[in-house]
């Protein structure tokens, strides 16, 4: 039962009597911010009044006259300029609670129109260990998969591994020139990752050396322009001033940006120039950029040595990544990496050429797209295929295999241009109603507000972060346990709880931030016992469980058999309503694919339970009836939290 949808469904005919295009008006029916204005509020009479040229209060009255909600709402009230306030009937609320109590799905229905949804998520480039940047795609994608499935959609989770790109050219080159055998024997992935980094540094060094003078020039040029513009502004008359200042600001921001780029290059150069050994190697490998590309080309052309190396490296890289997935309880339905599509790329290009969607331009095969200046290249002049070509082949494969209604790509927002172009190109190619969505997300930042890195400037390994979070969680758990009159947990249990709490904290911190914003990665904050953290929710859950432990043995069973609720106290009613809004929260997640809709819901639920618990004694309630009712509310709360957290990919513990 989704209360908000039910209310909107009832408003639909009433609105349709007055106007057309009711959907945006229906959006204006929302939960009330303040319980004294009822449970839900419709604000659509104001814009509708404007549109019809009638006083909003009169429009509100007409809406109410055409509205049929008597079966579950008290008579609607008009307030202020024309708000319509709705208050749910208590009997109806109680009946819904009773139904939820005996329902393993807690009153959440599955959809009437299930979709087939492919979710492309996690998708790391496998030649290096997973780092902090991989958290986001992995946990957001996993959460969306869980919620979609729970609501009855058919989901195919696909880990589109980067197992075929230039990064393999890099480690092949690195292996051929720099491998240390003992290190490779000892820990192959670590050694491959070192090789990757070394090759990457060298490539960046040479590219930087070429580009730095150009950047310097550009900076000097902009500095001059800014100077000139400063005097222009000084001399401008009142009328011109605003305009000239705008020009100045634009130049200044260009200057700042260019300086930043230049400093970035300079820093990369200094990483090599300050290391004599590396500098010597750099001199010996002048053409490394080109040579690495050639290694990749050879791999793709089926060169025996390179293919053998790739076959040796790949399983090791995958194992490494798999370990993280196991820890985080992440599972995919399929893991077709880029290499899977290799042999289909030529055909994709042919199809694009045949259908006239692509043509040759300066030797490359290009798809020209409306709204974009630069075309999407699908085959380079030298015959090499690109990221986009593989993505097109992937789309074709998915369409043929699953006929999805929707394809979600949970990928860093920096790739948004790639996906816009890809979707436009694919739309005219696949001839299906399939919808493509890029689910972009912001960057994980360090405390300095810059992308999270180690002191030496490297990205931070994901496993280390998980270990750190678990270690800190362990301290929290021990501290908490020791505060109890009698500590309850064995060391083994503490460790087990610490794992659940540590991993949960990392996932929750990511999911609870609006996915499009950047967020600061701070393990102390994410493990706080107060505030919007998994730790707080897990703690709240455990606290409810402890009530049942303290009550007599069959309290849980008894509470699940109640046939009525007492919602006399405002805190009881508020909690009841929040419990019944679980399905709203889940559907809200899917509106714009935002897991924070669910975290917000759960946080609020925990807060409401806490208010309830403060005002309404449970085990010491005045009557048996009241006690059962409150136990049943507690039971529903803990089950909703458990299920809600599970949909975020987070576990609960019975005590902590
Ligand atoms: N491997 C890519 C990267 O690390 C992400 C792949 C995303 N999925 C896709 N179908 N392009 O940047």
């Amino acid at each position: 039962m989704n209360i908000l949808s039910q209310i909107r469904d009832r408003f639909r005919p009433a609105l349709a009597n007055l106007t057309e295009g009711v959907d945006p008006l229906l959006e204006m029916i929302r939960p009330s911010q303040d319980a004294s204005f009822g449970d839900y509020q419709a604000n659509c009479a104001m814009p509708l009044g404007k549109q019809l040229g009638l006083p909003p209060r009169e429009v509100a009255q007409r809406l109410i006259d055409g509205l049929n909600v008597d079966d579950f709402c008290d008579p609607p009230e008009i307030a202020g300029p024309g708000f319509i306030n709705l208050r749910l009937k208590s009997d109806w609320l109680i009946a819904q609670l009773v139904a939820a109590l005996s329902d393993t799905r807690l009153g959440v229905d599955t959809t009437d129109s299930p979709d087939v949804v492919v979710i492309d998520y996690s998708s790391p480039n496998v030649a290096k260990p997973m780092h902090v940047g991989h958290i986001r795609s992995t946990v957001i994608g996993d959460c969306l998969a869980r919620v979609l499935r729970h609501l009855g959609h058919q989901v195919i989770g696909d880990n589109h591994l980067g197992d075929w790109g230039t990064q393999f050219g890099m480690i092949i080159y690195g292996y051929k020139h720099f491998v240390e055998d003992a290190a490779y024997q000892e820990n192959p992935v670590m050694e491959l990752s070192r090789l990757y980094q070394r090759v990457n540094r060298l490539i960046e060094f040479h590219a930087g050396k070429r580009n730095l003078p150009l950047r310097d020039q550009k900076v000097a040029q902009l500095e001059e322009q800014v100077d000139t513009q400063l005097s222009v502004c000084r001399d401008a008359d009142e009328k011109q001033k605003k305009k000239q200042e705008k020009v100045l600001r634009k130049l200044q921001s260009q200057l700042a940006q260019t300086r930043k780029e230049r400093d970035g290059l300079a820093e990369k150069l200094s990483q090599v120039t300050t290391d004599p050994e590396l500098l010597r190697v750099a001199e010996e490998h002048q053409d490394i950029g080109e040579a690495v590309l050639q290694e990749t080309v050879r791999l793709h052309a089926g060169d025996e040595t390179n293919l053998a190396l790739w076959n040796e490296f790949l399983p090791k890289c995958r194992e490494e990544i798999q370990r993280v997935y196991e820890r985080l309880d992440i599972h995919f339905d399929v893991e077709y990496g880029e290499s899977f599509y290799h042999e289909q790329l030529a055909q994709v290009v042919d199809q694009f050429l045949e259908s006239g969607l692509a043509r040759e331009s300066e030797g490359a095969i290009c798809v020209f797209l409306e709204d974009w200046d630069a075309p999407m290249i699908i085959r380079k002049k030298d015959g090499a295929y690109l990221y986009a070509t593989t993505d097109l082949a992937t789309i074709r494969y998915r369409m043929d295999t699953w006929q999805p209604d929707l394809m979600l790509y949970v990928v860093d927002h920096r790739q948004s241009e790639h996906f816009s172009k890809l979707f436009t190109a694919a739309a005219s190619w696949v001839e299906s109603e399939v919808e493509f969505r890029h689910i972009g997300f912001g960057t994980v930042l360090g405390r300095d507000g810059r992308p999270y890195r180690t002191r030496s400037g490297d990205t931070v390994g994901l496993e280390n972060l998980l270990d750190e979070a678990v270690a800190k969680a362990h301290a929290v758990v021990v501290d908490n346990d020791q505060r109890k009159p009698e500590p309850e947990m064995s060391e083994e249990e503490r460790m087990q709880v610490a794992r659940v709490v540590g991993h949960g904290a990392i996932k929750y911190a990511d999911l609870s931030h609006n996915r499009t914003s950047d967020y600061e990665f701070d393990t102390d904050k994410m493990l706080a016992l107060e505030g919007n953290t998994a730790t707080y929710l897990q703690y709240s859950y455990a606290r409810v469980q402890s009530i049942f432990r303290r009550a007599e043995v069959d309290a849980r069973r008894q509470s699940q058999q109640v046939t009525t609720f007492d919602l006399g106290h405002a805190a009881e009613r508020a909690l009841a309503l929040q419990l019944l809004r679980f399905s709203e929260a889940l559907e809200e997640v899917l509106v714009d694919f935002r897991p924070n809709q669910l975290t917000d819901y759960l946080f609020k639920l925990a807060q409401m339970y806490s208010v309830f618990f403060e005002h309404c004694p449970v085990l010491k309630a005045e009557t048996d009836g009241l006690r059962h009712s409150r136990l049943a509310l507690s039971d529903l709360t803990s089950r909703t939290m458990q299920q809600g957290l599970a949909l975020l990919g987070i576990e609960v513990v019975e005590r902590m």
Side-chain angles (χ1 to χ4, degrees):
M1 151 68 37
N2 181 326
I3 305 176
L4 182 57
S5 304
Q6 173 159 325
I7 294 177
R8 286 182 176 160
D9 284 346
R10 301 294 178 89
F11 264 83
R12 188 179 291 279
L15 280 165
N17 277 338
L18 300 179
T19 183
E20 281 168 9
V22 298
D23 283 338
L25 296 169
L26 289 172
E27 292 291 310
M28 304 185 71
I29 306 169
R30 308 287 320 169
S32 303
Q33 297 300 330
D34 179 341
S36 59
F37 298 131
D39 301 321
Y40 290 84
Q41 194 167 57
N43 299 349
C44 43
M46 275 72 78
L48 194 52
K50 228 185 220 151
Q51 187 191 323
L52 301 175
L54 290 170
R57 285 188 71 100
E58 190 180 325
V59 175
Q61 189 57 52
R62 284 197 199 180
L63 271 175
I64 290 178
D65 293 342
L67 189 66
N68 178 11
V69 289
D70 306 348
D71 50 332
F72 69 112
C73 291
D74 291 338
E77 282 170 10
I78 302 176
F83 299 115
I84 301 174
N85 293 337
L86 296 169
R87 191 177 157 84
L88 299 162
K89 284 194 160 120
S90 289
D91 289 352
W92 185 83
L93 274 182
I94 290 168
Q96 302 305 310
L97 285 175
V98 171
L101 206 53
S102 59
D103 179 3
T104 50
R105 297 185 53 88
L106 299 161
V108 175
D109 299 325
T110 50
T111 174
D112 304 328
S113 48
D115 283 330
V116 177
V117 187
V118 174
I119 311 186
D120 182 316
Y121 68 106
S122 197
S123 311
N125 294 334
V126 297
K128 40 191 169 163
M130 288 176 88
H131 58 80
V132 64
H134 291 117
I135 291 180
R136 303 221 69 184
S137 173
T138 306
V139 305
I140 295 172
D142 179 57
C143 170
L144 295 178
R146 287 172 193 260
V147 172
L148 278 160
R149 276 195 191 107
H150 190 68
L151 294 183
H153 299 285
Q154 189 197 326
V155 174
I156 299 105
D158 185 2
N159 189 12
H160 188 75
L161 296 167
D163 60 357
W164 194 242
T166 0
Q167 70 273 24
F168 274 94
M170 290 163 77
I171 51 175
I172 289 173
Y173 184 94
Y175 187 84
K176 288 182 178 173
H177 295 91
F178 309 122
V179 72
E180 281 173 17
D181 287 319
Y184 183 70
Q185 295 309 329
E186 166 96 21
N187 186 339
V189 178
M190 191 85 114
E191 176 63 2
L192 290 178
S193 144
R194 184 188 71 86
L195 294 173
Y196 175 88
Q197 268 175 21
R198 165 170 269 225
V199 171
N200 197 31
R201 280 217 174 133
L202 295 175
I203 293 177
E204 284 183 340
F205 172 73
H206 288 296
K209 242 173 49 182
R210 277 194 306 277
N211 291 327
L212 193 60
L214 297 175
R215 286 293 103 181
D216 275 336
Q217 242 174 35
K218 182 89 195 161
V219 168
Q221 195 185 2
L222 280 164
E223 280 171 348
E224 224 178 277
Q225 283 175 311
V226 166
D227 273 349
T228 318
Q229 189 61 22
L230 270 170
S231 43
V232 170
C233 286
R234 221 177 298 124
D235 301 341
D237 57 27
E238 274 314 303
K239 249 170 68 193
Q240 285 293 312
K241 203 155 196 125
K242 272 228 167 80
K243 206 167 131 203
Q244 295 301 343
E245 279 174 353
K246 207 167 151 195
V247 175
L248 176 66
R249 276 197 300 275
K250 201 162 161 204
L251 282 170
Q252 282 170 327
S253 98
Q254 267 175 8
L255 175 59
Q257 181 60 28
T258 315
R259 275 190 181 139
K260 217 160 111 187
E261 285 166 18
R262 182 201 54 192
D263 295 348
L265 283 185
E267 197 183 310
K268 293 218 159 106
L269 284 180
S270 79
Q271 280 180 2
V272 174
T273 48
T274 52
D275 180 340
E277 198 265 332
L278 200 57
L279 185 60
R280 189 182 50 77
V281 177
E283 304 294 327
E284 282 168 15
H285 295 260
Q286 297 278 351
D287 299 324
I288 187 165
E290 184 51 32
V292 160
L293 286 182
Q294 285 314 313
E295 294 295 6
T296 316
V297 169
R298 272 200 284 279
L299 169 67
H300 290 177
D303 173 87
E304 236 172 81
T305 315
N306 283 10
L307 209 51
L309 286 175
W310 181 79
N311 273 314
E312 182 182 323
F313 298 155
L314 189 62
K316 299 189 160 78
C317 297
R318 290 185 72 144
E319 243 170 64
E320 169 86 7
I321 288 174
Q322 193 52 36
R323 224 181 27 239
V324 175
Y325 292 140
E326 295 290 329
R327 262 184 96 159
L328 290 178
D329 194 22
I330 306 282
H331 307 276
F332 302 95
D333 298 293
V334 291
E335 291 186 278
Y336 298 131
E338 292 177 5
S339 62
F340 177 81
Y341 300 98
H342 176 59
E343 305 214 314
Q344 301 165 29
L345 303 183
Q347 215 189 337
V348 168
V349 174
D350 286 346
Q351 283 186 14
F352 266 81
L353 282 170
E354 274 160 30
S355 57
L357 291 167
R359 62 185 157 83
E360 201 201 294
S361 166
E362 295 171 37
I365 307 299
C366 302
V367 184
F368 289 89
L369 303 161
E370 239 179 90
D371 302 332
W372 295 99
D373 292 337
M376 185 171 93
I377 303 176
I378 55 176
R379 198 177 71 203
K380 287 201 279 191
K381 206 156 100 186
D382 63 7
Y385 302 105
L386 296 99
Y387 186 49
T389 327
T390 306
D391 261 330
L392 287 168
T394 308
I395 288 175
R396 168 62 76 207
Y397 180 84
R398 289 175 181 162
M399 293 310 298
D400 291 348
T401 314
W402 300 295
Q403 294 88 42
D405 302 288
L406 176 64
M407 260 188 237
L408 302 179
Y409 291 81
V410 188
V411 186
D412 192 315
H413 65 56
R414 281 172 295 189
Q415 293 192 28
S416 67
E417 180 174 330
H418 164 72
F419 285 110
S420 299
K421 287 181 165 177
L422 178 70
F423 299 163
T424 315
S428 31
W429 183 49
V430 295
E431 287 169 9
S432 148
E433 290 292 281
V434 63
E435 186 191 342
F436 298 102
R437 283 285 301 263
H438 173 208
I439 311 301
F441 49 78
T443 309
V444 182
L445 305 175
R447 282 194 210 171
D448 55 2
R450 297 179 45 189
Y452 195 73
R453 295 190 186 275
T454 60
R455 270 199 208 111
S456 61
D458 296 329
T459 50
V460 183
L462 191 46
E463 277 198 294
N464 292 342
L465 289 180
L466 296 178
D467 290 342
E468 181 194 315
V470 170
K472 284 191 178 166
H474 185 259
V476 171
V477 171
V478 170
D479 184 56
N480 214 28
D481 198 30
Q482 280 169 349
R483 273 168 209 267
K484 294 173 193 162
E486 279 193 45
E488 297 178 318
M489 289 188 233
S490 65
E491 178 47 31
E492 201 188 326
E493 188 177 354
R494 286 175 176 176
M495 253 336 282
Q496 160 61 17
V497 172
R499 270 194 293 275
V500 172
V501 171
H503 295 158
I506 288 198
K507 286 187 178 184
Y508 191 93
D510 197 296
L511 297 168
S512 60
H513 287 91
N514 199 332
R515 66 172 163 77
T516 41
S517 0
D518 300 341
Y519 78 90
E520 201 175 289
F521 191 92
D522 180 339
T523 39
D524 289 324
K525 270 194 205 154
M526 51 179 85
L527 282 161
L529 274 167
E530 295 285 327
N532 191 8
T533 62
T535 316
Y536 170 65
L537 294 181
Q538 286 164 327
Y539 183 67
S540 311
Y541 173 86
R543 222 170 53 160
V544 184
Q545 298 307 85
S546 83
I547 299 174
F548 283 99
R549 276 199 299 278
R550 274 183 285 131
E552 70 269 26
V553 217
D554 62 348
R556 180 137 248 156
R557 201 172 50 84
Q558 250 179 30
S559 74
Q560 292 189 359
Q561 284 171 349
V562 307
T563 50
T564 186
F565 281 80
D566 191 324
L567 302 181
H569 195 288
E572 286 171 313
R573 191 177 183 285
L575 177 62
L577 179 57
Q578 181 70 0
L579 286 166
L580 293 175
R581 298 190 52 202
F582 187 34
S583 96
E584 264 171 46
L586 296 181
E587 282 175 36
E588 206 60 45
V589 169
L590 300 186
V591 170
D592 196 26
F593 303 100
R594 293 189 187 272
N596 65 314
Q597 297 284 359
L598 178 53
T599 58
D600 286 352
Y601 167 83
L602 292 171
F603 180 45
K604 216 161 157 189
L605 176 64
Q607 286 176 313
M608 287 186 168
Y609 186 80
S610 167
V611 174
F612 155 84
F613 193 71
E614 198 179 310
H615 295 286
C616 308
V618 178
L619 293 177
K620 296 201 172 107
E622 294 124 49
T623 64
D624 273 357
L626 201 53
R627 179 164 177 271
H628 288 153
S629 167
R630 288 176 181 171
L631 276 168
L633 282 175
S634 303
D635 175 59
L636 274 175
T637 303
S638 70
R639 285 162 62 200
T640 306
M641 282 194 190
Q642 179 173 23
Q643 229 171 70
L645 285 169
L647 292 173
L648 300 171
I650 297 173
E651 289 176 69
V652 290
V653 288
E654 293 307 299
R655 52 177 166 226
M656 67 183 268

